[in-house]
């Protein structure tokens, strides 16, 4: 089974167990913050299912319908997950605001404390695993799922602290206040996920650090071509798509140009896993000024005919 699918399965099973536990304890304790956490975990479970099916879909090779692969299914899944996070936040606020005016008396706080502690610990382990796998595989769907669970860690810890304070002080107003605080954290996480996922869907360029990797590879072979231009990059799920124009000496053979392109592609792909590189090659044209760059960067020894550059410029 694929690594991404395995961790997505783990997230699903964790979500089922924690949602059931929080819901049961929330009904027993009558705590809106615990019930809010149950709703949060329930949507985490839905998000985990979305992530599971999206990573399975994105792993499929390109076909006749999706010739660029299925990577954007993960971006779409991340958008769905972000919207689910927003829904969870709205549900929490709707439940918590009325409690501000008449806080309910809570019961069996020991059960609430126990389930929140277990939830925070379990989600911390699973979210850390998801984040590491997402970083290693460049998976936006797993990253979104990881942020779901990491938010759950923070909120469970917050509820844990508030229940402990309520138990020792009797300040029941803390219950809805903490629930609203949880909602604000949820909205923040949703905004971040939406911004990043929608950016990939509308073909935002790769981050500057990644584009600098491409520039560094090309600079490392600057003496073998005239120039490059029209660099374009975009992201589709875990995949990166890169294309640019490469100006080469007009006297080179097709085999020479092909070997150079293969070298550039392999080095870019080695440093940016999951990259698909398309290079459009062009011959240098003296009338456009390319040969000035040839004189600076490329020795005539690279050409099969030593006099090709001079002859093209009419120098004899």
């Amino acid at each position: 089974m694929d690594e991404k699918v395995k961790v997505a399965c783990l997230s699903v099973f964790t979500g089922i167990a924690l949602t059931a536990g929080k819901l049961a304890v929330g009904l027993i304790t009558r705590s809106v913050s615990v019930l809010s956490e149950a709703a949060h975990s329930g949507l985490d479970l839905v998000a985990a299912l979305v992530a599971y099916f999206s990573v399975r879909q994105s792993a499929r090779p390109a076909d006749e319908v999706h010739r660029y692969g299925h990577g954007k299914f993960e971006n779409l899944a991340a958008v769905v997950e972000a919207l689910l996070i927003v829904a969870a936040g709205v549900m929490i606020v709707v439940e918590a605001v009325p409690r501000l005016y008449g806080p309910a008396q809570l019961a069996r706080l020991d059960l609430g404390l126990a389930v929140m502690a277990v939830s925070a610990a379990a989600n911390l382990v699973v979210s850390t695993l998801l984040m590491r796998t997402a970083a290693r595989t460049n998976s936006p769907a797993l990253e979104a799922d990881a942020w779901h669970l990491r938010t759950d860690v923070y909120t469970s810890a917050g509820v844990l602290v508030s229940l402990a304070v309520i138990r020792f002080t009797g300040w029941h107003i803390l219950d809805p206040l903490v629930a609203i605080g949880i909602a604000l954290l949820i909205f923040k996480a949703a905004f971040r996920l939406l911004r990043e996922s929608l950016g990939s869907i509308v073909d935002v360029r790769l981050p500057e650090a990644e584009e600098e990797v491409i520039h560094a590879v090309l600079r490392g072979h600057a003496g073998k071509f005239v120039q490059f231009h029209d660099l374009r990059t975009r992201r589709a799920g875990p995949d990166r798509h890169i294309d640019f124009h490469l100006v080469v000496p007009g006297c080179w053979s097709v085999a020479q140009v092909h070997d150079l392109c293969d070298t550039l592609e392999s080095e870019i792909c080695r440093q940016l896993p999951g990259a698909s590189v398309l290079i459009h090659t062009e011959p240098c044209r003296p009338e456009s000024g390319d040969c000035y760059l040839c004189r600076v960067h490329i020795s005539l020894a690279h050409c099969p005919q030593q006099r090709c550059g001079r002859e093209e410029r009419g120098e004899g």
Side-chain angles (χ1 to χ4, degrees), residues 48-60:
L49 290 169
V50 171
Y52 171 74
F53 287 111
S54 70
V55 295
R56 289 194 62 181
Q57 185 73 10
S58 70
R60 294 173 56 194

Side-chain angles (χ1 to χ4, degrees), residues 50-51 54 57-58 70-84 140-141 144 193-194 196-198 200-201 236-237:
V50 171
S54 70
Q57 185 73 10
S58 70
H70 299 79
K72 285 199 175 181
F73 278 91
E74 291 201 30
N75 297 115
L76 182 60
V79 171
V80 172
E81 291 182 45
L83 294 177
L84 288 174
L193 287 175
L194 277 173
E196 294 183 359
S197 301
L198 290 174
S200 293
I201 288 177

